Amino acid sequence: MHPSDRVRFVIETAKAVLDERLPPDEGAAAVAVQAAQITPLLRSDRDSVTRAEAESVATQLRLLAEQVNDRASGLADPAAHLEIARAIGEMAQALR
């Protein structure tokens, strides 16, 4: 499976949190479950795509993690946002 297909739901979940369509705590719980399930699979996926394709998905994930982290800096309770950013960053790292 292509890594971009595998992380699509994670990306949409994080964007829903950023757009305030999903509460941060629910988003963090969903991303944590997704990350636990797909991070090991991403490691094997990187072997089935080109290096450039894996890097592209990893970059997209890193940029999204930075957006979530930036949003956390202005919040009174940033814990959920930080958890989302951490999980997305780990997924990006799995593609390296």
Side-chain angles (χ1 to χ4, degrees), residues 6-92:
R6 211 174 286 283
V7 299
R8 184 172 291 134
F9 193 70
V10 171
I11 291 170
E12 289 305 316
T13 302
K15 286 182 178 180
V17 170
L18 289 173
D19 295 341
E20 298 179 357
R21 293 180 284 126
L22 182 67
D25 58 332
E26 290 179 25
V31 169
V33 169
Q34 295 162 17
Q37 293 173 347
I38 67 172
T39 300
L41 300 173
L42 289 173
R43 290 185 183 100
S44 63
D45 287 346
R46 73 177 174 213
D47 296 332
S48 64
V49 297
T50 66
R51 180 86 172 145
E53 290 172 316
E55 282 294 323
S56 175
V57 175
T59 298
Q60 182 181 14
L61 289 170
R62 280 193 305 277
L63 292 172
L64 182 58
E66 287 177 16
Q67 285 180 309
V68 173
N69 192 50
D70 289 347
R71 179 71 55 90
S73 66
L75 299 174
D77 183 15
H81 282 75
L82 295 174
E83 180 60 27
I84 292 170
R86 184 198 59 73
I88 292 172
E90 287 178 2
M91 286 184 274

